[in-house]
Amino acid sequence: MALPMPTKRRSAFVQSPIDTCTPPDTSSASEDDGSLRRKAALSAVLAQSLQSPDYWINRSVQSSSTSSSASSTLSHGEPKTQPQPHLQPALSMLADVLAHTHIGENSVPPDVTTSTPQERGSRVDVPPAVRGMSRGQSRSSMLDTADGVPVSSRVSTKIQQLLNTLKRPKRPPLSEFFVDDSEEIVEVPQPDPNTPKPEGRQIIPVKGEPLGVVSNWPPALQAALARWGATQAKSPALTALDVTGKPLYTLTYGKLWSRSLKLAYTLLNKLGTKTEPVLQPGDRVALVYPNSDPGMFWVAFYGCLLAEVIPVPIEVPLSRQDAGSQQIGFLLGSCGVSLALTSEVCLKGLPKTTNGEIVQFKGWPRMKWVVTDTKYLTKPSKDWQPHIPTANTDTAYIEYKASKEGTVMGVAVSKISMLTHCQALTQACNYCEGETLVNVLDCKKDMGLWHGVLTSVMNRIHTITVPYAVMKACPMSWVQRVHIHKARVALVKCRDLHWAMMAHKDQKDTNLSSIRMLIVADGANPWSVSSCDAFLNVFQSHGLKPEVICPCATSPEALTLAIRRPGVRGAPLPARAILSMGGLSHGVIRVNTEDKNSALTVQDVGHIMPGALMCIVKPDGPPQLCKTDEIGEIVINSRAGGTMYYGLPGVTKNTFEVIPVNQAGAPIGEIPFTRTGLLGFVGPGSLVFVVGKIEGLLMVSGRRHNADDLVATALAVEPVKTVYRGRIAVFSVTVFYDERIVIVAEQRPDASEEDSFQWMSRVLQAIDSIHQVGLYCLALVPANTLPKTPLGGIHICETKQNFLEGNLHPCNILMCPHTCVTNLPKPRQKQPVDVGPASMLVGNLVAGKRIAQAIGRELGVVEDQDLIRKHQFLSEALQWRAQTDPDHVLYVLLNARGVAVCTATCAQLHKRAEKITATLMERGGLNTGDNVVLLYPPGVDLIAAFYGCLYAGVIPVTVRPPHPQNLAATLPTVRMIIDVSKAACILTTQPLMRILRSREAAASVNIKTWPTIIDTDDLPRKRPSHIYKPPTAEMLAYLDFSVSTTGMLTGVKMSHAAVSTLCRSIKLQCELYSSRQIAICLDPYCGLGFVLWCLSSVYSGHQSILIPPLELESSLPLWLSTLSQYKIRDTFCSYSVMELCTKGLGTQTEMLKTRGLNLSCVRSCVVIAEERPRVVLTQSFSKLFKDVGLSPRAVSTAFGSRVNLAMCLQGTAGPDPSTVYVDMKSLRHDRVRLVERGAPQSLPLMESGNILPGVRVIIVNPETRGPLGDSHLGEIWVSSTHSASGYYTIYGEESLQADHFNTRLSFGEPHTLWARTGYLGFIKRTDLLDASGDRHDALFVVGSLDETLELRGLRYHPIDIETSVSRAHRSIAESAVFTWTNLLVVVAELSGSEQEALDLVPLVTNVVLEEHHLIVGVVVIVDPGVIPINSRGEKQRMHLRDSFLADQLDPIYVAYNM
């Protein structure tokens, strides 16, 4: 698999120096179960050295005569139909179950008092029973009225009718408005006929051995402590170790009892006053003790039990913002905890505020802290005795549990459950009084608490606690303790086995023969097999017996489910299951025979606990019993389990009160079971096998994968030195209707880029071949940056949150959406288009719809004889104005400070134009009709030069001057226009002339071949001999050159007639006349901007205040303050100006207000553009400046194109622009589907302004060239006297001219000549009325045809994808998209710090997949300002594409998605 390496800018990631990061291995998780065994597990898998498939089963078959049909299914992979000979034990077990099972022909609840089993073979068939109904009441007696009021009750018919009408909603439900069309979007994979399906019979609940009754068992756990405290005071209860692994202190049962008593007395009597005690029995108290101080914790725990307050042990918070601190706060809140017990040392170590108080931890309730060191406790008075009732159902303690989503809940364990659990553990583990136990687990929760604190005290066991800190310093410490104390029982995790094995080389004389039981707390984990085997391999020579290794299965809700009992010496060891990963992913047990690589070896966790009843139910949907060869969730019924999630009754019901149902959906009994969150099955001889946890379950395309298995695979991949073991997170995120797998790992500081990339590619392949599932994203982050749980593991939830919010800051990332997103719809096939009879025109209808066309009002006849002269030619209009009204000011030019630096009256403008004409005639050596380039900054000089050219009979071409600081990029465009237009001469200013001839200019263009350059700064006062008058109005007036967004340079020819009618059209639409003032903040070089800046005032006589947009960069409020100061009613701007004001001034409206800025005078503010209106920008501009008086109706847009510079302009008359919402999916199919506002996938489109007078617009199918109906998407064609007369090209491509400027419809009106705009849009007849009283036809522009991207047979508009991308992360300043060899490339500008660069890659990929159903091929992260934007504020995507392909972007990061 040859992958393109991502490219990364070197500066982007400064790795934290090696010495400052503690290697995460040392702080590796308590959840990390060691590196070697996973390596071993996988190298075993990868080296195909597994045992034969029959191996695990035949031993159990030989050793057990009770192999039921479950084992036969397992052993041979096929169900057996003939009855088994040995069913007696199974039947007697069944009899026990059936005693509790709901069997009966009617739906009366069963009588649970009788225990006579009903002999009914080995099948349990339960008729569907109706739950929640009174006895004997059948379903039929309920008539469905609004809320289940039985009709038989005497309800008057009126009320009945009322109920029935209330029941029927007036409006259709929401789903009918917004159909979630995932059905039509998603490619639904066809079910594979070879998918394995469960074939066994329905499972029978499994019953544990009965819980024996022993005469000397205490009535409550506190009673046991009281007994040992009194009778065996010198007996050791607990030995704690210091950091070096040496004994620190030993707590005797006498000391434990007396200190617990003192604490109980202090809690109840010494906090607060006699009348108002702080604690009452039943209150919840947090226990905050470090693992290194178990003695303090024991005293606190038993002190709380004796005081009858409820202890809630939690981890010690390390900082104000710990990972998961908010969730611990939720736990304390839901349990109503306001008091925390801690030790003096721990209290000193907690983070403090400046004035020495303990900080308020994020999300925690207010806490009162109490120190429980002995010197602060009070000795109870003589007459005080603790109250020790017989164990009842009151809560004894609360153990915290984190869910998959990260919420932390408290599992309440009642006093009777606590006692029963201790009894069950004592019986299962055969604990004897006075034994020694070595405990390496956390004594605050789980096995460490159940065995090491509770059961040990009940049996007067001596516990030696080996804290986590000691294990880090001395991994052999627990083995040494076993050896020194001749311990009988050791309580460990796989991690501890692994560490001891790695460190054992120094130890020659350790002896483990005293151990009768080595309890492996996470033995239910699929990888535990290899750890146990490897440990036994090393330590068997040190006296360790194979049969003492006892894996067990536990869950926070059900406590201990199952534990392997120590075997008899010499008896064969229990069998192993070698399962097919493929079968497991479908939830089915299949023995792996063919491919050893994709096998999972699982060891049993022994038999279920005494006194418990167990079933396997389907993990999702109703709790239906599984079949014997099906994997499901283990559910338990036992007196020894948790009772509820404290304070959360809703969640409790779904977990602690589950009643399994049979295949027909009927409950199998009345007994509530508890969900354990473990997935597994029951093997031969009722052995329990666990294959994973619900919270580690990843459901991808209907198949289940286990996070732990994926971690194991990843960690077996070379080079191992790339990432830290145990610092790896696997989770799934939902993108595009399916779960996608993400792996995040911490990269070692010394790993090279190549190593990392090689490791990542190999992990992809390994997971693909072993698990048959594609990875969506693989990210490597710098060492020590993943959020940790208090015990050093990785906080998966917070990691996922960081990934989705873009806060992960990876240093390497690999996205593989192309391989793992398999549910994309099939690409659309284009249908051939023919004009069929159905689309023939009937009157004004196309296929049953009105033709989509919109017509501006009539231009009307010229009223005034005086005006006739000036209507024909603009040059005459200026002369006429100079004679009739010489002192009328036409133009005022402002500088950055808002000062008028230049004004021009009609006479001044005329005289300046004459001077230029004279100079042109003298020095230019020009012929009539030659092209002259005008190279000026925005201002009055440009206008004078334009009219000077008209007077001289030459054709002006306005060109934006090059940027002096960026000649290399801007000068070639100038040169290109000069060459293409074959200009005979350049008119410019002195500073620009110097630039054109400078050495800097010579570096990017040939400056020796410029045409004649004339500077017009200091011209002599001369009048030309004559002023040219064109013979006809069809003669060329000027050339309009512009670079389109696709990077095409096009020049169009504007005739005198077109110029006059365009100016007249604008004058009528905007009601412009001499006494009016307008403000223009636009670039004056092409399109409508040029027309408004240079032509309109001379024609209509109004005064134009000119604001060069560049001045806004140094003085942002210039444009708005001008509007306010001059009380302007009409203003024209570009999107870039509006965006500058929105971004730069949006937060300063209050300040502007105090400075007296008032925009209430503005009646219309028109954005001049050649694109789809930017609704979001115009709306935010309106909202932001509403506070300074801007009317929400003022802002509108105009629309023009190359073939016709102005088709729409809002103007004064006519209705406000309307907005519609279009379904984005339909646009991709070239259709328009209007939807409600707020519908999913809806796109707001704003009308582009009213059609100008004298303009006709029609919507045409670009392929058939036939007209389209109302609200249909097609190309916008325009017919108008002010359309351009053609392209100005060197080669004179006649066909293109005819096609774009003089084209006809294929049917309909064959005589009208139309110009094709190249834009897609639609026309919708609205309910609003226009000036003439007819219904208004609104034109909606969707986008340029040239720019659209054809992907997967669909048509996409770049702006839609870019809008989504810019929303994906707060640090994306701007984005642009284009295609490259059928790949979608997204370029995003990063405004944040460079370490966020790689966060953007998955977020951009996600959002484009979710909202546009496209897979991004390349994500390029660049610096702000890299995406080229032209003066109209439009992105130059093709320039960007060329720069990308020529490798000129200097990107921060380029990610190639696979």
Side-chain angles (χ1 to χ4, degrees):
M1 204 147 82
L3 308 179
M5 271 272 289
T7 51
K8 178 190 298 185
R9 190 187 290 168
R10 277 289 136 220
S11 68
F13 308 96
V14 185
Q15 282 277 12
S16 40
I18 299 183
D19 47 11
T20 58
C21 354
T22 54
D25 265 5
T26 57
S27 68
S28 130
S30 64
E31 285 93 304
D32 164 35
D33 301 321
S35 50
L36 186 110
R37 64 202 163 117
R38 285 177 255 180
K39 183 75 195 294
L42 251 109
S43 49
V45 167
L46 295 170
Q48 306 194 351
S49 61
L50 287 170
Q51 295 157 319
S52 78
D54 321 305
Y55 168 77
W56 76 275
I57 207 75
N58 51 21
R59 293 164 58 173
S60 67
V61 173
Q62 292 151 15
S63 65
S64 139
S65 60
T66 60
S67 79
S68 66
S69 63
S71 72
S72 62
T73 311
L74 281 167
S75 54
H76 309 294
E78 57 196 32
K80 288 206 172 167
T81 45
Q82 70 266 40
Q84 297 289 316
H86 309 288
L87 272 177
Q88 298 321 308
L91 270 177
S92 63
M93 183 181 80
L94 177 69
D96 281 335
V97 177
L98 293 185
H100 303 283
T101 309
H102 181 161
I103 293 181
E105 298 311 318
N106 56 6
S107 50
V108 180
D111 183 359
V112 193
T113 50
T114 60
S115 58
T116 48
Q118 303 175 348
E119 298 297 328
R120 290 200 48 187
S122 66
R123 286 184 58 221
V124 183
D125 285 317
V126 186
V130 182
R131 289 171 63 192
M133 294 242 165
S134 59
R135 183 174 294 201
Q137 178 188 8
S138 76
R139 205 37 161 155
S140 58
S141 68
M142 295 284 280
L143 189 87
D144 269 348
T145 52
D147 45 6
V149 178
V151 179
S152 55
S153 61
R154 295 183 183 149
V155 182
S156 76
T157 47
K158 288 285 181 210
I159 293 182
Q160 192 57 55
Q161 280 172 345
L162 178 66
L163 283 173
N164 287 338
T165 47
L166 284 175
K167 189 181 161 194
R168 278 197 299 276
K170 284 280 176 288
R171 304 180 63 176
L174 203 59
S175 58
E176 288 182 31
F177 284 115
F178 305 140
V179 186
D180 180 17
D181 29 20
S182 55
E183 290 76 27
E184 74 173 68
I185 299 171
V186 181
E187 176 70 11
V188 181
Q190 293 308 310
D192 178 4
N194 302 326
T195 303
K197 296 211 167 30
E199 300 157 353
R201 53 177 176 69
Q202 182 174 299
I203 191 168
I204 299 167
V206 181
K207 200 170 198 291
E209 64 196 75
L211 183 57
V213 180
V214 180
S215 55
N216 65 347
W217 271 353
L221 198 57
Q222 304 92 302
L225 177 59
R227 175 183 167 196
W228 305 133
T231 62
Q232 301 276 351
K234 294 272 191 298
S235 177
L238 165 75
T239 300
L241 305 184
D242 65 10
V243 185
T244 61
K246 306 234 170 7
L248 187 62
Y249 59 79
T250 295
L251 193 64
T252 61
Y253 274 97
K255 280 273 189 296
L256 177 59
W257 167 244
S258 63
R259 287 182 190 173
S260 306
L261 263 187
K262 275 188 193 170
L263 178 59
Y265 180 72
T266 309
L267 290 179
L268 291 176
N269 301 297
K270 294 298 171 188
L271 305 179
T273 60
K274 266 215 165 125
T275 48
E276 287 186 16
V278 171
L279 279 180
Q280 304 274 8
D283 285 352
R284 275 76 54 212
V285 176
L287 267 47
V288 185
Y289 294 92
N291 276 356
S292 53
D293 195 356
M296 293 291 288
F297 174 76
W298 280 44
V299 168
F301 192 90
Y302 280 105
C304 288
L305 291 186
L306 289 170
E308 292 193 277
V309 296
I310 300 172
V312 185
I314 57 170
E315 306 304 333
V316 178
L318 304 171
S319 71
R320 196 184 127 33
Q321 296 279 350
D322 273 3
S325 140
Q326 187 125 25
Q327 285 85 358
I328 292 286
F330 172 77
L331 163 80
L332 297 174
S334 64
C335 295
V337 175
S338 58
L339 189 82
L341 306 186
T342 188
S343 66
E344 193 166 23
V345 178
C346 183
L347 191 75
K348 282 189 180 140
L350 291 177
K352 311 276 192 305
T353 58
T354 42
N355 56 9
E357 290 178 6
I358 292 170
V359 299
Q360 177 66 28
F361 296 107
K362 182 175 160 204
W364 282 35
R366 281 235 164 272
M367 297 294 269
K368 186 172 176 200
W369 294 83
V370 175
V371 176
T372 62
D373 293 56
T374 318
K375 57 184 174 189
Y376 299 112
L377 303 180
T378 314
K379 202 169 175 198
S381 54
K382 289 274 190 292
D383 55 345
W384 186 81
Q385 277 301 319
H387 176 233
I388 302 182
T390 303
N392 54 18
T393 53
D394 296 345
T395 301
Y397 69 94
I398 293 173
E399 189 170 317
Y400 78 83
K401 168 241 165 141
S403 73
K404 186 177 182 180
E405 290 71 42
T407 42
V408 173
M409 302 181 286
V411 176
V413 179
S414 69
K415 293 172 181 172
I416 189 77
S417 296
M418 177 170 73
L419 185 67
T420 311
H421 189 214
C422 289
Q423 292 168 350
L425 284 176
T426 303
Q427 179 173 329
C429 301
N430 199 10
Y431 280 125
C432 307
E433 201 179 310
E435 279 189 309
T436 306
L437 175 147
V438 172
N439 175 22
V440 193
L441 306 183
D442 177 9
C443 62
K444 293 196 287 294
K445 57 181 291 219
D446 214 66
M447 303 276 290
L449 174 67
W450 309 333
H451 287 260
V453 181
L454 305 178
T455 311
S456 59
V457 166
M458 185 170 117
N459 292 292
R460 194 175 64 79
I461 287 170
H462 176 199
T463 305
I464 294 140
T465 304
V466 184
Y468 183 53
V470 176
M471 284 297 293
K472 272 164 50 174
C474 171
M476 276 292 285
S477 50
W478 74 267
V479 178
Q480 291 159 359
R481 289 293 121 202
V482 171
H483 168 73
I484 293 165
H485 293 271
K486 306 246 180 309
R488 303 280 289 136
V489 181
L491 193 57
V492 295
K493 278 193 165 184
C494 292
R495 167 202 71 194
D496 310 315
L497 299 180
H498 175 70
W499 285 0
M501 196 171 60
M502 301 304 276
H504 98 285
K505 294 184 182 55
D506 334 326
Q507 301 293 327
K508 295 286 175 288
D509 53 350
T510 41
N511 184 344
L512 299 184
S513 58
S514 63
I515 291 194
R516 65 174 184 82
M517 203 170 182
L518 178 62
I519 300 174
V520 185
D522 50 358
N525 196 313
W527 326 307
S528 59
V529 184
S530 55
S531 295
C532 295
D533 288 355
F535 184 78
L536 179 63
N537 205 12
V538 170
F539 284 97
Q540 200 157 3
S541 58
H542 293 264
L544 181 70
K545 300 185 279 290
E547 66 271 13
V548 303
I549 296 180
C550 298
C552 66
T554 64
S555 103
E557 291 80 7
L559 309 188
T560 311
L561 275 70
I563 187 163
R564 193 190 288 173
R565 321 299 197 255
V568 183
R569 195 76 220 252
L573 292 173
R576 305 248 164 111
I578 300 177
L579 305 176
S580 136
M581 288 271 207
L584 285 180
S585 74
H586 293 287
V588 178
I589 304 162
R590 288 292 176 266
V591 176
N592 182 297
T593 46
E594 314 82 34
D595 180 13
K596 299 282 165 53
N597 272 355
S598 55
L600 181 70
T601 305
V602 194
Q603 63 182 350
D604 68 278
V605 288
H607 289 93
I608 141 177
M609 290 295 282
L613 186 63
M614 180 177 93
C615 300
I616 312 280
V617 299
K618 301 213 166 165
D620 26 26
Q624 189 183 342
L625 286 177
C626 287
K627 296 186 172 167
T628 47
D629 59 343
E630 194 172 5
I631 303 276
E633 183 176 7
I634 300 173
V635 294
I636 288 274
N637 165 263
S638 159
R639 279 175 56 202
T643 46
M644 61 176 165
Y645 291 128
Y646 198 93
L648 303 169
V651 208
T652 295
K653 194 160 182 54
N654 299 338
T655 305
F656 292 92
E657 299 167 25
V658 174
I659 299 196
V661 297
N662 62 14
Q663 248 104 33
I668 62 163
E670 294 287 299
I671 325 168
F673 282 74
T674 298
R675 287 185 182 274
T676 62
L678 297 178
L679 295 168
F681 61 94
V682 179
S686 297
L687 285 174
V688 180
F689 288 85
V690 174
V691 295
K693 297 185 181 142
I694 291 266
E695 61 186 46
L697 200 60
L698 311 171
M699 281 294 278
V700 181
S701 311
R703 287 174 56 211
R704 305 177 193 165
H705 301 278
N706 196 319
D708 289 338
D709 296 342
L710 295 175
V711 170
T713 304
L715 287 180
V717 169
E718 300 290 335
V720 179
K721 288 284 168 274
T722 311
V723 297
Y724 287 106
R725 325 207 49 87
R727 312 284 309 139
I728 190 162
V730 176
F731 51 86
S732 64
V733 293
T734 308
V735 184
F736 192 63
Y737 305 100
D738 202 355
E739 297 290 303
R740 315 281 174 199
I741 298 178
V742 179
I743 296 188
V744 183
E746 283 188 2
Q747 176 176 316
R748 292 174 182 270
D750 49 355
S752 73
E753 196 87 354
E754 284 68 36
D755 282 352
S756 306
F757 196 71
Q758 195 180 11
W759 182 81
M760 291 160 92
S761 346
R762 285 178 174 170
V763 168
L764 291 181
Q765 290 167 332
I767 286 179
D768 187 53
S769 64
I770 292 175
H771 302 271
Q772 273 91 49
V773 67
L775 278 192
Y776 181 63
C777 175
L778 183 48
L780 298 182
V781 299
N784 271 331
T785 54
L786 287 181
K788 294 188 177 71
T789 59
L791 296 178
I794 284 186
H795 202 294
I796 304 278
C797 240
E798 210 131 311
T799 304
K800 176 174 174 177
Q801 188 85 1
N802 286 348
F803 174 79
L804 289 173
E805 289 172 356
N807 290 331
L808 201 57
H809 310 328
C811 52
N812 261 315
I813 196 159
L814 192 53
M815 300 279 304
C816 313
H818 290 280
T819 45
C820 77
V821 177
T822 52
N823 58 343
L824 279 176
K826 287 199 175 69
R828 179 171 74 138
Q829 303 297 321
K830 285 270 174 98
Q831 300 304 322
V833 215
D834 288 316
V835 183
S839 45
M840 290 321 290
L841 222 68
V842 186
N844 239 2
L845 295 180
V846 177
K849 282 211 168 185
R850 200 183 61 79
I851 280 191
Q853 62 173 339
I855 303 172
R857 53 192 168 139
E858 291 297 317
L859 264 174
V861 283
V862 180
E863 314 86 14
D864 189 345
Q865 282 309 303
D866 243 358
L867 294 177
I868 284 181
R869 289 204 311 279
K870 72 167 189 174
H871 268 297
Q872 194 77 50
F873 303 109
L874 263 189
S875 49
E876 294 183 339
L878 178 57
Q879 294 166 51
W880 176 76
R881 286 199 184 283
Q883 286 165 7
T884 55
D885 196 356
D887 299 327
H888 174 60
V889 178
L890 281 179
Y891 292 105
V892 179
L893 177 72
L894 301 182
N895 68 3
R897 292 197 297 282
V899 177
V901 283
C902 178
T903 55
T905 62
C906 301
Q908 285 167 335
L909 186 61
H910 170 61
K911 283 182 183 137
R912 284 169 79 169
E914 281 191 325
K915 282 203 294 191
I916 289 168
T917 307
T919 309
L920 275 171
M921 287 173 169
E922 270 181 28
R923 293 168 53 191
L926 302 172
N927 301 320
T928 304
D930 278 353
N931 296 343
V932 174
V933 162
L934 312 184
L935 204 61
Y936 289 94
V940 178
D941 287 346
L942 173 70
I943 303 168
F946 177 81
Y947 287 101
C949 290
L950 293 191
Y951 284 1
V954 292
I955 312 297
V957 183
T958 50
V959 179
R960 166 194 306 284
H963 196 293
Q965 269 80 52
N966 193 3
L967 286 180
T970 52
L971 197 56
T973 310
V974 174
R975 178 84 226 194
M976 197 157 100
I977 296 177
I978 289 169
D979 292 347
V980 169
S981 64
K982 301 201 276 279
C985 166
I986 300 173
L987 293 182
T988 185
T989 63
Q990 271 171 8
L992 280 168
M993 185 159 104
R994 281 199 290 277
I995 286 175
L996 291 183
R997 295 199 163 130
S998 67
R999 284 172 52 193
E1000 290 83 7
S1004 45
V1005 297
N1006 182 355
I1007 60 171
K1008 296 199 174 72
T1009 55
W1010 290 122
T1012 317
I1013 302 179
I1014 301 176
D1015 87 79
T1016 58
D1017 281 1
D1018 306 309
L1019 294 179
R1021 287 201 165 174
K1022 276 195 182 169
R1023 296 190 62 182
S1025 51
H1026 70 283
I1027 290 179
Y1028 172 80
K1029 181 180 176 183
T1032 75
E1034 302 314 315
M1035 298 284 287
L1036 219 54
Y1038 72 96
L1039 293 178
D1040 186 305
F1041 271 93
S1042 160
V1043 178
S1044 76
T1045 51
T1046 51
M1048 294 288 294
L1049 174 71
T1050 44
V1052 292
K1053 301 187 283 198
M1054 290 295 288
S1055 67
H1056 286 281
V1059 167
S1060 298
T1061 46
L1062 176 54
C1063 289
R1064 173 160 172 70
S1065 191
I1066 293 171
K1067 175 186 167 154
L1068 284 173
Q1069 191 84 329
C1070 300
E1071 297 179 6
L1072 301 173
Y1073 32 84
S1074 311
S1075 58
R1076 296 287 302 285
Q1077 241 184 350
I1078 67 170
I1080 300 171
C1081 190
L1082 285 167
D1083 269 331
Y1085 299 108
C1086 60
L1088 193 49
F1090 168 76
V1091 173
L1092 290 165
W1093 188 284
C1094 292
L1095 314 182
S1096 206
S1097 270
V1098 171
Y1099 183 90
S1100 306
H1102 58 273
Q1103 183 183 337
S1104 294
I1105 296 172
L1106 307 176
I1107 305 164
L1110 266 176
E1111 303 288 4
L1112 261 66
E1113 287 180 12
S1114 51
S1115 164
L1116 260 181
L1118 174 63
W1119 173 49
L1120 298 179
S1121 52
T1122 306
L1123 301 181
S1124 171
Q1125 183 187 336
Y1126 289 87
K1127 302 218 170 355
I1128 300 286
R1129 288 175 64 184
D1130 298 277
T1131 180
F1132 299 89
C1133 70
S1134 65
Y1135 278 124
S1136 23
V1137 167
M1138 191 168 267
E1139 194 159 24
L1140 267 177
C1141 293
T1142 307
K1143 283 183 177 163
L1145 299 172
T1147 52
Q1148 304 173 20
T1149 45
E1150 283 309 309
M1151 183 197 72
L1152 295 171
K1153 213 171 180 174
T1154 52
R1155 286 196 194 163
L1157 183 81
N1158 182 356
L1159 299 181
S1160 53
C1161 50
V1162 178
R1163 178 181 61 170
S1164 81
C1165 165
V1166 182
V1167 190
I1168 303 299
E1170 298 187 4
E1171 58 178 296
R1172 175 202 299 177
R1174 301 188 197 172
V1175 183
V1176 177
L1177 179 56
T1178 51
Q1179 284 178 351
S1180 28
F1181 180 79
S1182 300
K1183 276 188 195 136
L1184 286 171
F1185 297 103
K1186 187 178 72 191
D1187 297 347
V1188 286
L1190 181 68
S1191 153
R1193 302 174 53 183
V1195 182
S1196 62
T1197 61
F1199 175 62
S1201 69
R1202 291 282 68 210
V1203 297
N1204 187 309
L1205 302 184
M1207 289 173 267
C1208 305
L1209 188 64
Q1210 188 55 32
T1212 48
D1216 288 347
S1218 46
T1219 301
V1220 294
Y1221 293 85
V1222 179
D1223 177 57
M1224 268 169 53
K1225 293 189 301 301
S1226 65
L1227 279 185
R1228 289 172 212 151
H1229 289 270
D1230 291 334
R1231 295 197 307 270
V1232 174
R1233 185 172 134 230
L1234 299 176
V1235 292
E1236 298 284 321
R1237 177 181 178 173
Q1241 296 267 331
S1242 63
L1243 173 73
L1245 291 177
M1246 186 164 94
E1247 180 189 346
S1248 289
N1250 289 326
I1251 307 287
L1252 277 169
V1255 174
R1256 271 186 77 190
V1257 173
I1258 191 165
I1259 304 296
V1260 176
N1261 181 326
E1263 282 155 353
T1264 64
R1265 304 198 173 196
L1268 290 168
D1270 190 90
S1271 297
H1272 276 54
L1273 188 71
E1275 188 183 2
I1276 301 168
W1277 286 16
V1278 58
S1279 168
S1280 150
T1281 41
H1282 68 243
S1283 290
S1285 41
Y1287 287 129
Y1288 183 89
T1289 49
I1290 307 176
Y1291 311 110
E1293 295 164 357
E1294 295 307 320
S1295 57
L1296 196 66
Q1297 305 280 63
D1299 187 44
H1300 281 209
F1301 289 92
N1302 302 312
T1303 187
R1304 301 173 196 270
L1305 292 170
S1306 57
F1307 58 88
E1309 292 179 57
H1311 308 301
T1312 313
L1313 285 179
W1314 299 89
R1316 301 179 61 170
T1317 63
Y1319 282 82
L1320 288 174
F1322 60 95
I1323 286 173
K1324 179 179 185 297
R1325 174 155 281 189
T1326 63
D1327 295 332
L1328 306 167
L1329 302 181
D1330 58 23
S1332 56
D1334 297 329
R1335 279 175 69 188
H1336 170 65
D1337 292 311
L1339 172 66
F1340 295 93
V1341 177
V1342 173
S1344 155
L1345 257 171
D1346 288 348
E1347 279 205 330
T1348 55
L1349 311 173
E1350 290 262 340
L1351 291 162
R1352 301 180 54 78
L1354 302 171
R1355 193 194 303 277
Y1356 288 88
H1357 294 272
I1359 183 68
D1360 296 329
I1361 301 177
E1362 288 157 3
T1363 305
S1364 300
V1365 168
S1366 297
R1367 272 204 321 265
H1369 191 274
R1370 59 186 176 282
S1371 294
I1372 298 179
E1374 186 58 271
S1375 62
V1377 301
F1378 52 82
T1379 50
W1380 167 53
T1381 63
N1382 264 350
L1383 285 178
L1384 177 65
V1385 181
V1386 175
V1387 180
E1389 292 183 354
L1390 172 74
S1391 62
S1393 74
E1394 285 196 353
Q1395 66 165 5
E1396 292 183 310
L1398 279 77
D1399 285 316
L1400 308 187
V1401 177
L1403 297 185
V1404 165
T1405 309
N1406 291 358
V1407 77
V1408 175
L1409 187 54
E1410 279 283 0
E1411 297 184 7
H1412 303 280
H1413 315 156
L1414 285 177
I1415 293 177
V1416 178
V1418 186
V1419 182
V1420 188
I1421 311 293
V1422 295
D1423 296 310
V1426 166
I1427 296 173
I1429 287 181
N1430 68 11
S1431 59
R1432 295 192 295 272
E1434 299 165 335
K1435 295 171 195 166
Q1436 305 283 286
R1437 297 182 182 90
M1438 287 308 116
H1439 281 325
L1440 184 68
R1441 181 178 188 272
D1442 296 343
S1443 308
F1444 169 71
L1445 296 181
D1447 204 14
Q1448 295 164 347
L1449 289 182
D1450 182 28
I1452 299 171
Y1453 193 81
V1454 182
Y1456 300 93
N1457 288 350
M1458 291 160 49

